Amino acid sequence: MSELEWDFDSWVRTYDEDVEREDWIHADYEEVLKLVAERVGGTVVDIGCGTGNILCFLKCERYIGVEPSRGMRAKFKEKHGFEPLDGHFLSIPLLDGTADAVISTYTFHHVPDEEKEDAIKEMLRVLNPGGRIVIADVMFESEKEELRIGKEDGTLDEVLDEYFATVEGLKELCERLSLQCNFKRINRYVWIVEMLKPAQSLKRS
Ligand SMILES: C[S@@+](CC[C@H](N)C(=O)[O-])C[C@H]1O[C@@H](n2cnc3c(N)ncnc32)[C@H](O)[C@@H]1O
């Protein structure tokens, strides 16, 4: 993808103020980051890490941010003193089996529906066997629910403008990839999804 498509640079200046607004996307923002942070440990890779707000809550041995926007990476460095890697969901610049957990908050909706499975496969690639993916984002039970909520709340145009996942779709995806998964609804819009990479089976001698 071109640099233009990663142009979150213009949002960098106001991003940390914007997430404090309790609008429909960012309601419970801090709580969501805390809930994701408390589910992971060891080496944690954070895809679309933005300005790195989750670092306030993470207690892990090693943190690796991955972020395609140059502006976001610069802001992250200004705040935390080190820079995330330049990469994205379909190209994580890490070796296979590097991480105990791959997390992503408020970013998965930037992945087009037809690329979501490849994105999950790329996250699985960098995970150790037995590792976990934890994704927090706006999601809906189904497309039907997405339309209903969008209409009821007057958010339909914004909702249809992004690639919000459905729980139905992600469950099917997990079934295809033989992943155990669980879903927790945090509020009307935001869910946390956890997918577990199977541990390697022990070879019998
Ligand atoms: C709404 S911000 C979320 C930032 C941070 N994770 C948080 O919770 O505050 C979305 C971030 O995802 C990045 N992004 C957009 N498309 C992406 C993709 N396909 N892969 C990885 N990151 C992406 C953007 O540059 C931006 O920093």
Side-chain angles (χ1 to χ4, degrees):
M1 281 200 209
S2 70
E3 185 69 29
L4 199 64
E5 284 177 84
W6 299 129
D7 191 13
F8 280 73
D9 297 7
S10 50
W11 197 12
V12 170
R13 284 186 299 280
T14 59
Y15 184 75
D16 285 348
E17 286 162 33
D18 292 349
V19 295
E20 281 177 16
R21 278 198 231 133
E22 288 280 303
D23 60 6
W24 60 276
I25 294 187
H26 298 114
D28 307 314
Y29 175 77
E30 274 200 16
E31 184 58 22
V32 168
L33 297 190
K34 273 184 214 163
L35 287 170
V36 170
E38 73 191 20
R39 287 172 184 236
V40 295
T43 297
V44 176
V45 174
D46 182 10
I47 313 293
C49 60
T51 64
N53 288 333
I54 201 160
L55 279 167
C56 302
F57 307 111
L58 269 175
K59 292 186 180 74
C60 59
E61 283 158 32
R62 187 173 174 217
Y63 170 89
I64 304 170
V66 175
E67 171 54 56
S69 154
R70 193 180 296 150
M72 286 284 186
R73 291 199 302 275
K75 183 69 182 178
F76 182 111
K77 187 171 183 196
E78 190 186 309
K79 284 173 66 178
H80 307 290
F82 65 100
E83 202 169 347
L85 302 176
D86 179 6
H88 58 85
F89 271 112
L90 299 182
S91 176
I92 303 172
L94 291 169
L95 297 175
D96 297 1
T98 309
D100 298 302
V102 179
I103 61 173
S104 184
T105 56
Y106 299 90
T107 301
F108 199 54
H109 65 272
H110 296 302
V111 180
D113 293 342
E114 64 277 13
E115 293 178 1
K116 285 194 191 310
E117 185 160 332
D118 285 341
I120 299 291
K121 285 180 181 165
E122 178 65 351
M123 290 191 269
L124 288 170
R125 182 187 67 75
V126 300
L127 266 184
N128 285 322
R132 70 189 54 207
I133 295 171
V134 184
I135 298 172
D137 206 345
V138 171
M139 292 178 205
F140 299 95
E141 284 271 13
S142 60
E143 287 180 8
K144 197 171 158 199
E145 191 201 54
E146 179 172 10
L147 293 177
R148 179 178 60 74
I149 290 181
K151 282 181 194 158
E152 283 173 6
D153 295 3
T155 54
L156 191 61
D157 286 350
E158 291 163 274
V159 157
L160 294 180
D161 203 35
E162 304 281 358
Y163 307 107
F164 294 123
T166 63
V167 171
E168 252 175 28
L170 288 182
K171 280 187 179 162
E172 281 172 22
L173 190 158
C174 288
E175 219 171 286
R176 279 198 299 282
L177 300 180
S178 305
L179 298 176
Q180 263 187 48
C181 58
N182 64 71
F183 294 79
K184 184 177 167 65
R185 191 168 210 155
I186 307 302
N187 58 38
R188 192 162 162 83
Y189 286 94
V190 178
W191 292 68
I192 296 179
V193 183
E194 199 166 272
M195 301 173 185
L196 304 181
K197 179 168 175 170
Q200 248 160 4
S201 53
L202 292 174
K203 282 194 186 136
R204 290 188 193 160
S205 52

